[in-house]
Amino acid sequence: MFPVSKGGFYIRRNIYWGIGTVMMVLSIFTYLYFQDAREEERQWKLFINRFYYSVDQSIIRLDSLIDHKPEGEVLKEHIHRLNEEFTTAHVTLENGNHYVSDRIPHTRFFRKAPGYLYGISSGSEGGGVPPLAEDQRLDEQEINRLKTLRSYLSEAKSDMYSEETGQENPEMTKEAFQKMINDHLDQYPNEIYLDGYQ
């Protein structure tokens, strides 16, 4: 055996301390990273759940209007509640984009859909889309507009649905969510309007 000098002992001890310190710091940062990733995943799942619920509630409101064809003040109340659901879905998407992931796309659908409820002015005489229930009841054209809105929402809901959970797919990726928005909920208002009359 070689004799160990007192200086070599201190050098080795300092190396061990250095390695131990680096390992501890790496362990702490790794733990924090995985905690952050887990929290981000939890926030994503909550966002998907909330958005799915908003879409589902919008479909329920549309079904009620289409099936029951309420009139007068009851119709106005139904339209108001549907508009609230559209607003909730829009705000959920906007908040998701700001607070959950900037990969959540913005969409015109929920921002513009109330125009089909309360009317869209084109600026020219006789142009635009008249408000629903202008005469206190729904006619066939208005029912078709509601069915068109419902079909877009139903397709989006279908893309988010999971047989396993019986509701939203909590494992839906951000890429799949973006595709669902682009495919079903990012039409220009004139596209939705024209679809309602085909």
Side-chain angles (χ1 to χ4, degrees):
M1 283 208 3
F2 297 105
V4 178
S5 70
K6 210 172 191 177
F9 171 77
Y10 289 119
I11 291 174
R12 223 175 314 148
R13 186 180 76 182
N14 287 341
I15 289 173
Y16 292 143
W17 274 99
I19 290 172
T21 302
V22 168
M23 293 297 289
M24 189 167 53
V25 168
L26 282 174
S27 296
I28 290 169
F29 281 118
T30 301
Y31 173 78
L32 292 174
Y33 171 79
F34 284 111
Q35 286 292 91
D36 190 44
R38 206 171 328 168
E39 178 60 20
E40 187 177 312
E41 182 180 342
R42 187 183 79 75
Q43 291 293 325
W44 174 252
K45 288 179 179 184
L46 287 171
F47 164 76
I48 291 293
N49 175 268
R50 184 64 191 121
F51 185 70
Y52 182 89
Y53 179 78
S54 292
V55 168
D56 191 47
Q57 289 300 302
S58 296
I59 291 169
I60 289 169
R61 299 274 184 215
L62 283 163
D63 284 343
S64 179
L65 278 165
I66 293 166
D67 295 341
H68 302 294
K69 298 177 184 75
E71 295 182 358
E73 289 303 313
V74 175
L75 177 57
K76 285 182 182 180
E77 182 61 28
H78 275 72
I79 291 171
H80 175 72
R81 287 186 180 158
L82 176 59
N83 186 51
E84 286 177 342
E85 292 301 336
F86 287 158
T87 301
T88 299
H90 177 70
V91 169
T92 300
L93 277 174
E94 292 297 309
N95 286 341
N97 177 271
H98 292 298
Y99 303 115
V100 177
S101 172
D102 60 358
R103 293 174 58 196
I104 295 170
H106 298 280
T107 176
R108 294 175 280 272
F109 186 88
F110 294 107
R111 189 178 36 169
K112 300 290 186 181
Y116 296 100
L117 305 177
Y118 296 113
I120 299 172
S121 174
S122 71
S124 64
E125 186 66 31
V129 178
L132 285 177
E134 212 170 18
D135 58 356
Q136 303 293 314
R137 57 192 173 94
L138 296 171
D139 62 27
E140 276 309 305
Q141 284 186 332
E142 292 168 330
I143 295 287
N144 284 338
R145 272 196 276 160
L146 294 173
K147 286 179 179 177
T148 301
L149 291 173
R150 187 196 189 291
S151 72
Y152 283 111
L153 291 170
S154 293
E155 290 172 10
K157 180 182 173 184
S158 177
D159 282 2
M160 291 188 289
Y161 183 77
S162 166
E163 288 285 335
E164 191 176 303
T165 63
Q167 53 186 34
E168 82 279 355
N169 178 1
E171 303 304 321
M172 184 176 207
T173 64
K174 291 175 181 143
E175 291 78 18
F177 187 82
Q178 287 174 327
K179 183 175 180 349
M180 179 271 302
I181 291 289
N182 292 334
D183 289 351
H184 308 301
L185 300 176
D186 200 29
Q187 287 69 27
Y188 287 100
N190 60 328
E191 293 175 46
I192 297 169
Y193 180 72
L194 290 173
D195 280 352
Y197 290 100
Q198 289 182 356

